[in-house]
Amino acid sequence: MTEPPDHRHGPPPRSSRQRYRGFVEDYRAQRLDEKTEALDSQRRLADGAKAGDGASAPARTSERKGKRREYIREYLRWLRPHRYAVGAVFFLALIVAGLQMIEPLFMRFIIDRVLLNQALDTPARLTRLNLGGAAFLGVIILSSLIGVAKDYRQRLLNTRVMLSLRQSLFDRLLHLPLPKLWDMKTGGILSRLTGDVDTTTGLLQMAIVSPSLSVIRLVIAITVLMTLNWRLALTALAIIPGAMLLSFASARRIRPIYRAVRKDVELIDGRVGETFMGIRVVRAFGREVRELLDYMQGRHTVLRKELFAHRHELLLWTSWGLLVSGVNVVIVWYGGYLNVMGRASIGDIMAFQWYTFLLLNPVWNIVNSFSELQRSLAAMERVFEVLELEDDKPDQPGAVDAPHVVHEIRFENVEFEYRENRPVVRDFNVSVPGGTVVALVGRSGAGKTTVTDLVARFHDPTKGRILVNGADIRDFKLRTYRDLLAIVQQDVFLFDGSV
């Protein structure tokens, strides 16, 4: 069998299968994060960054981990206004957990103190059985009702957090510098506003509520098990530490896969946006089939990567299923031995089986939360990396309102460049008195649109300055300055709506 080609130095792969093989090679060599950083570096270079600005791979990894911790702290600060709602959800969940923890004791009481108690006559047995069964049923109903209230409160909290986060992200996107928006493209913007925000909201459950409750349940279950029968408790607890370490190590490697998938989805969505914004060009050059093939190739690649991640998760889930079944067999086996030797009752064994489920369930929830957390963290990084960006041209300290009447606009030695050391406007000087009309004439690409963009402060000059009534326009508050402008676009853009 021939080895798959090395895609790092050869031509780009043409099929989703080739892309997937390259992805698997990078995953096994733990290069997925480096590949993502390389794509971002290429994009920064295309936007004019210096080649020497890139840091080494270990430095980028350390920086990324530091950023991730910063984003998590920012997310916790984001939840601060909702702290009382989070506390209410946590309190209800704690009550449900406490009620579930006493349910096995009812079964132990009914088996040992009623069914197997030969000292009681039939009427006494029936009385105890009815009282115990009614109390057991009441606890289950109460636990279910409180669980419904908890789920509703948590859904309401998630909706509020998601709406608040989406509002802030949309507002930040509206005020980002134009080059940043061009870099993200329409697809990248939409994927952050929709899927990433939805997934980030799940971080509340996966990172805070579920792990905290699971730890509390774990402590209660261990305490009860040790109280009932320490020998059976040690038997059930012996395999948990190694299983948790193995599960965490497996789940930790899943995060780079989902980060790569989200990056691919962003690129595909961006390409889709470009295709339909330029649909006239696509049809004029007969590119419909080519665009469809490119889209399906990207989607097939994403599907292969998602199935790759799912296979890793499936292995983890299957291992835990076998673990739970194996522990139950061991408890019945060893518990039967203890019962024969007079060291454990039948009720102890039945309660232990139930408590073992309650013991392994929080452990599994912790591991599963860690696995699901990888998706939420990958989405959170994409959301908060936008939220931390600075607004486009924030007002300078001491900025003043723009004048109501413009007597003169003057360009003084203005130079502007989209990419470093490649100016499109150089040494531009002109004075326009108020009340006059000026036409900019020149060949295509000469910089006419750029000059008008500079006047509107869509961009700021790289060198020189633009003066209005003798004052630099950067000293004005941006909103009041743009109130002076009236712009008629060359290409009409109609927003969807009703007149």
Side-chain angles (χ1 to χ4, degrees):
M1 180 179 295
T2 59
E3 291 293 326
D6 188 354
H7 303 302
R8 288 174 292 168
H9 305 290
R14 298 297 301 170
S15 69
S16 61
R17 185 183 298 274
Q18 290 175 335
R19 291 183 179 182
Y20 173 71
R21 287 175 178 174
F23 162 79
V24 173
E25 291 177 9
D26 293 331
Y27 172 79
R28 290 173 178 171
Q30 300 184 7
R31 292 195 302 260
L32 286 184
D33 288 332
E34 295 180 16
K35 299 280 282 191
T36 303
E37 290 290 338
L39 289 175
D40 293 338
S41 299
Q42 291 175 5
R43 186 173 298 174
R44 288 193 296 267
L45 288 174
D47 292 336
K50 294 181 180 179
D53 290 343
S56 62
R60 289 196 302 267
T61 302
S62 177
E63 180 183 359
R64 185 172 59 252
K65 291 181 179 179
K67 280 289 185 182
R68 186 182 305 139
R69 288 190 291 267
E70 180 182 341
Y71 292 153
I72 292 176
R73 289 193 295 267
E74 183 65 25
Y75 182 75
L76 293 177
R77 287 195 294 268
W78 194 270
L79 291 177
R80 184 173 177 80
H82 307 278
R83 58 188 180 276
Y84 296 114
V86 174
V89 170
F90 189 82
F91 177 72
L92 292 175
L94 198 60
I95 294 178
V96 172
L99 292 175
Q100 289 177 347
M101 284 297 170
I102 66 175
E103 291 175 4
L105 297 179
F106 284 99
M107 184 178 66
R108 179 173 179 264
F109 171 80
I110 292 174
I111 292 176
D112 287 345
R113 303 296 177 87
V114 178
L115 301 181
L116 299 181
N117 191 350
Q118 302 296 331
L120 297 177
D121 56 11
T122 300
R125 285 186 181 184
L126 290 176
T127 302
R128 287 195 179 187
L129 180 63
N130 292 332
L131 291 175
F136 195 1
L137 181 61
V139 169
I140 292 177
I141 294 176
L142 182 61
S143 174
S144 299
L145 292 177
I146 297 178
V148 170
K150 187 266 295 183
D151 292 340
Y152 177 76
R153 295 287 301 180
Q154 183 170 336
R155 179 64 179 175
L156 188 63
L157 173 62
N158 288 342
T159 302
R160 289 175 176 173
V161 173
M162 179 169 34
L163 183 61
S164 176
L165 190 60
R166 187 166 283 146
Q167 176 184 355
S168 297
L169 182 62
F170 190 84
D171 180 68
R172 180 54 53 89
L173 287 168
L174 287 175
H175 296 89
L176 285 183
L178 293 179
K180 292 291 184 182
L181 294 174
W182 294 336
D183 182 46
M184 283 188 284
K185 300 182 181 179
T186 304
I189 294 173
L190 292 178
S191 66
R192 282 175 168 86
L193 278 172
T194 54
D196 287 342
V197 171
D198 291 341
T199 308
T200 300
T201 307
L203 196 64
L204 171 64
Q205 173 69 19
M206 297 302 171
I208 300 176
V209 178
S210 182
S212 301
L213 290 176
S214 296
V215 170
I216 294 175
R217 289 186 179 206
L218 190 63
V219 172
I220 295 175
I222 292 175
T223 303
V224 174
L225 287 176
M226 295 296 291
T227 302
L228 291 178
N229 193 305
W230 64 270
R231 295 180 179 86
L232 281 175
L234 293 180
T235 302
L237 294 174
I239 60 175
I240 290 180
M244 287 188 65
L245 291 176
L246 180 62
S247 300
F248 281 132
S250 300
R252 189 180 184 85
R253 297 201 64 188
I254 297 177
R255 185 191 305 172
I257 303 176
Y258 287 116
R259 187 182 293 115
V261 167
R262 290 195 172 276
K263 180 63 68 174
D264 287 352
V265 170
E266 177 183 348
L267 295 176
I268 294 171
D269 291 344
R271 180 68 176 181
V272 170
E274 289 179 344
T275 298
F276 287 98
M277 288 177 64
I279 189 64
R280 292 175 180 268
V281 178
V282 172
R283 293 181 178 178
F285 288 89
R287 294 276 300 179
E288 294 93 340
V289 176
R290 181 70 263 174
E291 293 297 331
L292 176 61
L293 290 176
D294 288 344
Y295 175 77
M296 293 307 299
Q297 182 187 64
R299 279 296 169 185
H300 280 169
T301 304
V302 169
L303 178 60
R304 291 177 185 273
K305 292 180 180 180
E306 289 178 339
L307 290 176
F308 182 78
H310 181 69
R311 285 195 295 270
H312 282 70
E313 293 177 335
L314 190 62
L315 178 63
L316 183 62
W317 299 336
T318 304
S319 301
W320 268 96
L322 292 175
L323 176 65
V324 172
S325 301
V327 169
N328 285 330
V329 171
V330 170
I331 286 179
V332 173
W333 193 346
Y334 185 61
Y337 168 77
L338 293 179
N339 178 259
V340 172
M341 301 300 294
R343 299 176 183 176
S345 66
I346 300 297
D348 288 340
I349 298 174
M350 299 298 293
F352 251 85
Q353 280 195 302
W354 198 331
Y355 272 118
T356 300
F357 172 76
L358 295 179
L359 174 69
L360 294 179
N361 191 50
V363 175
W364 166 245
N365 285 337
I366 294 174
V367 175
N368 189 48
S369 297
F370 189 81
S371 178
E372 294 291 332
L373 187 62
Q374 311 311 308
R375 304 179 187 179
S376 298
L377 286 176
M380 180 202 66
E381 292 171 6
R382 287 165 46 83
V383 170
F384 280 91
E385 72 181 6
V386 175
L387 290 176
E388 75 169 356
L389 296 176
E390 295 184 357
D391 288 347
D392 184 27
K393 303 172 185 62
D395 294 333
Q396 297 182 2
V400 298
D401 292 337
H404 296 289
V405 179
V406 177
H407 301 292
E408 180 192 38
I409 297 179
R410 187 167 71 251
F411 285 72
E412 287 188 353
N413 303 318
V414 170
E415 181 176 305
F416 177 76
E417 53 191 27
Y418 290 103
R419 298 183 181 180
E420 192 169 0
N421 299 323
R422 298 179 62 181
V424 295
V425 175
R426 183 185 296 108
D427 196 23
F428 187 73
N429 294 273
V430 68
S431 178
V432 182
T436 61
V437 178
V438 173
L440 299 177
V441 181
R443 60 179 175 80
S444 178
K448 303 183 296 298
T449 302
T450 301
V451 170
T452 58
D453 287 347
L454 290 173
V455 173
R457 279 207 74 192
F458 294 148
H459 310 290
D460 281 334
T462 307
K463 296 180 182 178
R465 58 181 184 162
I466 303 174
L467 306 177
V468 170
N469 296 351
D472 195 321
I473 62 175
R474 288 172 287 199
D475 295 333
F476 298 139
K477 295 179 180 178
L478 184 61
R479 180 172 295 276
T480 62
Y481 172 72
R482 284 188 176 155
D483 288 341
L484 301 173
L485 305 177
I487 300 176
V488 179
Q489 296 283 355
Q490 180 179 358
D491 297 323
V492 178
F493 187 89
L494 295 178
F495 290 91
D496 187 23
S498 174
V499 177

